[in-house]
Structures are given as C-alpha cells and as structure tokens.
Amino acid sequence: MTKRIYNFAAGPSTLPLPVLKQAQDEFLELPGAGASILEISHRSAAFEKIINGAESNLRKLLSIPENYKVLFIQGGASLQFSMIPMNLLRDSGKRADYIVTGAWGSKAVKESQKEGETRILWDGKDPGYRGVPDWQSLDVDKDTAYVHFTSNETIQGVQFQEMPETEATWVCDMSSDFISRPVPVDRFGLIYAGAQKNAGPAGATIVIIREDLLDRASKGLHTMLDYRTHAENRSLYNTPPAFSIYVINLVTEWILAEFGGLSEMAAGNEKKAALFYSAIDTSEGFYRGHADEYCRSRMNVTWRLKNEALESAFIEEAYRADLHELAGHRSVGGIRASIYNAMTLEGVHALVEFMETFREQNS
Ligand SMILES: *Cc1c(COP(=O)(O)O)cnc(C)c1O
C-alpha cells in the first residue's frame, strides 16, 4: 500500500481513515444491496436507510429541533449564495443584511444584490479580514428578511467564537466549521454547509431550514431552486449525490462512535488549534498569525513568514516531509493549515514540530 501523507487541504479535505476503510470494504457490495453505492437506485431500501441515517445522525449531533428540515442539495455552498436570496429575499418586500468577515461572505453578498436590497451590516475588508464584529455592537434589525454571516471564513482563518443571541432570521454559512462544535440550531432560520470541508466528499450541501421559512419563500421559483421541492420530497425529487450522502452517514456515525458528540469533538479541535497558535506566538515573530487573537479559527490556521521566498521554502520542505497542501489561498498567500475534525493529533504534532525545526534552521 502507498503511504498516506498528512493532508492539510482546505477542501476537499482529509477524511477519517476508518471511514475511508469502511467505504473501501463496502465499495463492491453495499450490505443488503449486493451492488456498489455508485450503482444502486436512490429509491432503493438500501439508500433510504443511508439517507435516513445521515439525517438522523445530524439531528442527534446538532440537536436539530423537529420544526427544521434537513436537506441534501447539489450545487455546493455557492449555489446557496443564490438560493437563499431567491427564496427569502426576492418577494419579501424587505432587505437582507450581510456580515462580511472574509472572501466567502463577500461572494454571498454579490448574489444577494441580484435579488433585492442588500445591506452590508459589517465589513472586515479594510484591515484584510482579520476580525469579526462583537454581536452586541451590531445594529441588527430583527425585521429584515434575514441576516447572513459566515461562522468560519476558510480563506482568512477567522471564526466567530460565539453565536448571535438577538432575535432575527439568522442565516449562516457553516461550510468550514460544520459539526466541529455544538451550535444552538434553534436560534437560526437556516444553516448550510458544503460537505467537503468537514462532513464528507463534495457533492452534497447540507441545508437545515426552519419550516416557517418554507412558507415565506418566494412563489414561482424554478423547481430545483425552490427549497420546498427538496423539503417535500425529502431530498429525493431528482437523483441525489448518493455517494456523498453515504460518506456523510459514515462520518457522522464515526463522530458519534469516537467522540460521543460535538462537545468532545470541539474540545479535540480546540486542543489541536492551540498547538499551532502556541507555535506561532512563541516564534518571536518568525511566524505571524493572520487573524486577530480573539477570533482565530480552530479549523483553518493562517499565518505568514517574513517574505514570500521563505514561505515557498516552508511549503516545499513541508511537502517533502509528507505535510501537504499548506499554501494559503491564491487570493491571500502565506500558509494555511486546515485541521478539520478528521485531522489527527499526530498530524498536528508532525506539522508543529516541522514549524519548530524550520524556524531554528532559518532564523
Ligand atoms: C468552501 C466554502 C464555500 C464554497 O463551497 P462550494 O461547495 O465549493 O460551493 C462557501 N463557503 C465557505 C465558508 C467555504 O469554506
């Protein structure tokens, strides 16, 4: 067998090894189906069991209340940038508010502007997306169509540590910290997350939507772009991304079996992130973290070195040590280590030790 490297990619990203092994074991004959998950009907009993399992595991992990639907939709989190304002802004007669703490939130705004009045309630662009607003300081209008934010900005490595408490129709892009920590779902109107950061492979986007939002949604939407279609057909209106949903089921089972729930998962994630931030903070300026301390991401750790040449050397040498995918996003440069749920403590130790050695050799 070839050797598996440590994969610090931001998405698609590393998956739990036991999940990959189980998928491998069951690849030719899915138990009870006698055929591969890639070959069976999405209307079969075997697939019904999988999609129900994925939904019920997510409900358990996040304590999703009964009055929320859990949907699996294609088109990535990026399609949600459009579906949200199409469904919830277009015919609302209201405005949508956006809190922009990084690149993804900024993309979401562009789609909303095509659908209706969009206000940027807070924008972290000027200092280069290093911070997040204090919830108390925001002028949140509870009567807007919704207020959108990104819980974790994957590219800049900026994460809200707290969820909003005030009343409003909160809509959150949780793509890159979904199921990494407990979240009070009942405070939200809608939560969405592309699977390929923390929940599985690309293909499915999980949408958790409160039922009264379905009633409010615009009329006359194209069938596939209308949340009601997916809710009324339990995500089986058309052919779903069966393999992605199958792996989401395995990943959520793995969290339940290994960690028991999201509190334990979050504690592990905090511990992993703390090792990086400590390596950065004790480096005497050799490594410089991008995000302000109070909102440092536990999923995507971003930092810079003195100059680009040194950053390239870091990335190349790390690669040779089997520590892969460490280049920051092309829009910001620097280094980014994505340490989602499935990144092991062993992988984190390997990279942190590499950081220390590299610093000694290059200071
Ligand atoms: C990756 C990512 C997206 C885009 O996801 P796609 O599924 O590729 O469309 C959106 N938001 C956040 C926070 C992300 O990390």
Side-chain angles (χ1 to χ4, degrees), residues 8 269-283 287 289 296-303 314 323 326 335-339 343-345 347-353 355-356:
F8 292 95
N269 286 329
E270 270 182 43
K271 186 172 161 191
K272 289 188 290 179
L275 289 167
F276 281 104
Y277 292 119
S278 155
I280 290 169
D281 292 341
T282 57
S283 72
Y287 299 119
R296 285 170 154 177
S297 171
R298 278 135 193 187
M299 298 278 104
N300 313 96
V301 184
T302 50
W303 72 92
F314 180 96
L323 305 162
L326 286 165
I335 315 286
R336 171 175 57 174
S338 297
I339 49 168
M343 174 50 69
T344 57
L345 196 54
V348 169
H349 280 303
L351 179 52
V352 168
E353 274 163 35
M355 287 169 77
E356 275 156 22

Side-chain angles (χ1 to χ4, degrees), residues 6 9 43 49 97 116 118 135 173 185 227 236 275 280 284 289 291 296 307 321 326 335 343 348 360:
Y6 290 117
R43 312 267 174 219
K49 202 170 147 213
D97 284 358
T118 302
W135 291 118
D173 178 359
V185 174
Y227 285 124
L236 294 171
L275 289 167
I280 290 169
E284 292 169 352
R296 285 170 154 177
N307 54 51
L326 286 165
I335 315 286
M343 174 50 69
V348 169
E360 279 161 23

Side-chain angles (χ1 to χ4, degrees), residues 75-79 81 104 150 152 154 173 175-176 194 196-197 205:
S78 300
L79 183 62
F81 297 166
W104 291 113
T150 312
N152 181 65
T154 323
D173 178 359
S175 292
S176 54
Q196 73 275 17
K197 309 287 163 63
T205 299

